[in-house]
Amino acid sequence: MINDKGLLGGSTVLMLLALLTEEDCYGYEIIRRIADRSDDAFQFKEGTLYPVLHKMESDGLVKSYRKETENGKTRTYYRITDRGAKELAAEREKWNEFTNAVNKVVRGGAYAV
Amino acid sequence: MPSETVQNENNNWKEYLDAVVREVKFRPDRADIRREYEEHLSDAFDALREDGLSEDDASAAAVSNMGDPVEAGRALNRSHNPMLGWIETILRWILIFVLCSSFPIAYAVIGLGVVNTLGVIRGYSDVEGHGELIRTVVVGRSIDWDGRVLSIDEIRLYEDGALELRYRSRASLLNSGRLGSYDLPVRLSDENGTLRDVSNLSKTSGGLITYHQFLCKAFPPDSKAVQIEYGYAHLYKAHMIRFAVDLTATGKEAAE
C-alpha cells in the first residue's frame, strides 16, 4: 500500500482528471474507481478528496453539478472542463518525463552493478 | 434496536460533519459541503452494509474511512476563500439586480430568494404531545383570495384524535399591495356539520410567506370528511372559503 502523502499529493489531480475524462463522477464513485483500479494500492482518507475537487473547481479544471444517479439519489457530479483537459495533457507529459527519468536512473544503476 | 442504531449513526455522522464545516470560514458554502460529505457517508454506509457489516460497524467504518475532519475542513477552507466568496456573491446579486430592475415580478422572486437565503423561511414546526402521526392527507389546493394566495397543504391526523390543518399564505405576486399575514378565523366542522373547537397553534412568518398551523384537539375518530371554512362568516359571506376534504383517501378532495 502506498500511503506517502507527497507522492499521492502530486499525482492526485492527474488521476482525478484522467478518471473524469472517461465519465462524469461523484465523489464516492471516484474513491471506488481509484481503489478498484489501483488494486487498493491507493487508500487515502476519503474526506481529503473533496478539498482537492473543490480546489480543482475553483481553478476551473472541473465543474460540479447536481444530477440523479441510477438509483434515484441526487449527487454532486464533477465534469472536466476544457481547461481541465489541457491541464491533463500537460500533467501527463510531466508525469511521463518524470517516470522516464526515474527509469533511466534506476536502469542505469542496475547496469552499473 | 433499529431506532437506537439510527440515532447512534446520526450522532457519529453529525459530529464528523460539524467538525468539517466548522473549519470553513465562508458560511454560505457550509450547507453544500455538509450535504456532499453526508451523501458520501451514506453511500459508504450502504456499500459497507452490502459487504456484510452490521449497521453499527458500517456507520463507524464509514466515518473512520473519512479520516480527520479537522484536516479535511482546513483544506476545504483554503479553497472556499471568504473574501472571494463574498465578492462573487455580491457581484452576482448586483448583476441580478441590474438585469431585473425593470420587472416587478422578478423583484418579488428575488425578494423571496433573499428571504430564503437569509433563512427566514422556517416552514412548519412539528407538533408534539398528540401521540404518533397516523395519517397525512395531502390537500394541495391553492386559492387566490383577495390579493393573497392561500395554499392549503395538508391535514394531519394524530393518535389521540387531534387534527392539524397546515396552510401557507402569501401576497399574490400581481397584487402585492399588502404584505404581512391575514389572521382570519378558521373553522372546522365534522361531516355532520358540527363545528369543532380549533386553536391557532402556530404562525411562522417567513417574510412574504406565512405558515399557519391550526389544531382541533378532539376531532371525531373515523370521520370521513372535514369541512374547512376560512374568513369572517358574518362579515363577508361572499368572501368565505368553504370546502370539504375527504379524510378516507389521501389526496382526495370533495367538491364544494
Side-chain angles (χ1 to χ4, degrees):
Chain A
M1 190 198 295
I2 303 162
N3 258 331
D4 179 73
K5 254 192 177 166
L7 175 67
L8 201 52
S11 51
T12 306
V13 172
L14 171 61
M15 287 198 291
L16 294 181
L17 288 173
L19 276 178
L20 292 175
T21 314
E22 296 167 19
E23 203 183 337
D24 296 1
C25 289
Y26 55 96
Y28 184 73
E29 254 181 339
I30 294 175
I31 298 272
R32 282 309 271 261
R33 287 190 188 183
I34 291 179
D36 286 349
R37 290 199 192 176
S38 70
D39 296 324
D40 288 330
F42 295 127
Q43 291 199 341
F44 50 89
K45 291 298 182 187
E46 297 175 13
T48 60
L49 171 70
Y50 296 98
V52 179
L53 285 171
H54 292 194
K55 173 80 169 62
M56 288 165 70
E57 179 157 33
S58 68
D59 290 345
L61 305 179
V62 296
K63 181 95 189 87
S64 67
Y65 61 96
R66 297 286 287 172
K67 198 184 89 172
E68 231 177 67
T69 69
E70 289 157 6
N71 308 327
K73 297 168 182 168
T74 307
R75 293 289 178 264
T76 302
Y77 280 79
Y78 291 87
R79 173 172 57 77
I80 189 166
T81 62
D82 290 345
R83 190 194 280 187
K86 278 178 201 150
E87 177 72 14
L88 174 62
E91 289 281 330
R92 269 203 172 121
E93 202 165 303
K94 266 198 261 174
W95 178 254
N96 287 337
E97 264 175 39
F98 173 72
T99 49
N100 279 341
V102 171
N103 280 335
K104 275 181 197 162
V105 172
V106 172
R107 284 195 200 117
Y111 293 140
V113 168
Chain B
M1 303 178 289
S3 61
E4 219 177 289
T5 311
V6 169
Q7 193 67 42
N8 181 26
E9 165 191 313
N10 289 342
N11 278 343
N12 265 347
W13 294 11
K14 190 180 175 299
E15 244 170 61
Y16 174 85
L17 296 168
D18 285 348
V20 171
V21 299
R22 201 180 298 132
E23 299 298 324
V24 180
K25 302 284 182 291
F26 186 58
R27 283 172 179 266
D29 284 354
R30 284 186 178 178
D32 279 356
I33 291 171
R34 173 181 281 272
R35 180 177 66 184
E36 199 171 25
Y37 273 82
E38 200 164 20
E39 287 168 351
H40 187 110
L41 282 171
S42 156
D43 287 339
F45 175 81
D46 289 346
L48 290 162
R49 287 286 289 153
E50 264 175 44
D51 290 347
L53 266 68
S54 74
E55 284 192 0
D56 281 348
D57 291 349
S59 165
V63 171
S64 87
N65 286 346
M66 287 299 227
D68 181 6
V70 176
E71 188 192 328
R74 286 189 181 149
L76 283 165
N77 186 44
R78 285 192 285 277
S79 40
H80 292 263
N81 187 304
M83 195 60 110
L84 291 178
W86 283 119
I87 290 173
E88 195 188 322
T89 307
I90 291 164
L91 285 179
R92 191 178 301 152
W93 280 109
I94 291 174
L95 185 69
I96 291 172
F97 181 82
V98 169
L99 285 177
C100 302
S101 52
S102 55
F103 302 102
I105 297 171
Y107 264 134
V109 172
I110 293 166
L112 280 177
V114 171
V115 164
N116 202 0
T117 310
L118 295 175
V120 181
I121 295 178
R122 290 192 193 84
Y124 298 115
S125 7
D126 287 337
V127 171
E128 278 166 6
H130 294 281
E132 277 188 31
L133 175 66
I134 296 172
R135 196 159 72 248
T136 302
V137 181
V138 178
V139 181
R141 173 169 173 160
S142 279
I143 303 156
D144 206 327
W145 191 87
D146 196 19
R148 284 193 79 76
V149 178
L150 299 179
S151 302
I152 320 285
D153 284 324
E154 52 190 38
I155 287 170
R156 299 180 154 220
L157 302 167
Y158 292 90
E159 210 173 7
D160 70 347
L163 178 148
E164 185 202 354
L165 168 71
R166 294 185 164 192
Y167 74 90
R168 281 167 289 153
S169 67
R170 64 168 169 81
S172 157
L173 291 180
L174 294 171
N175 187 2
S176 55
R178 45 189 108 177
L179 299 175
S181 73
Y182 279 165
D183 290 314
L184 299 194
V186 168
R187 307 200 301 167
L188 300 179
S189 40
D190 61 27
E191 61 207 65
N192 302 320
T194 313
L195 212 58
R196 294 288 157 183
D197 278 343
V198 176
S199 57
N200 191 344
L201 199 63
S202 102
K203 192 186 93 177
T204 314
S205 181
L208 299 181
I209 300 178
T210 307
Y211 293 80
H212 306 260
Q213 288 169 267
F214 284 84
L215 193 78
C216 173
K217 280 192 178 134
F219 202 72
D222 305 322
S223 293
K224 293 190 177 63
V226 56
Q227 178 90 16
I228 300 174
E229 291 177 326
Y230 181 82
Y232 294 107
H234 56 291
L235 285 178
Y236 308 106
K237 206 140 201 153
H239 266 140
M240 284 275 294
I241 293 165
R242 188 185 295 112
F243 64 97
V245 175
D246 186 350
L247 295 176
T248 54
T250 49
K252 284 275 167 113
E253 182 192 331
E256 187 183 331

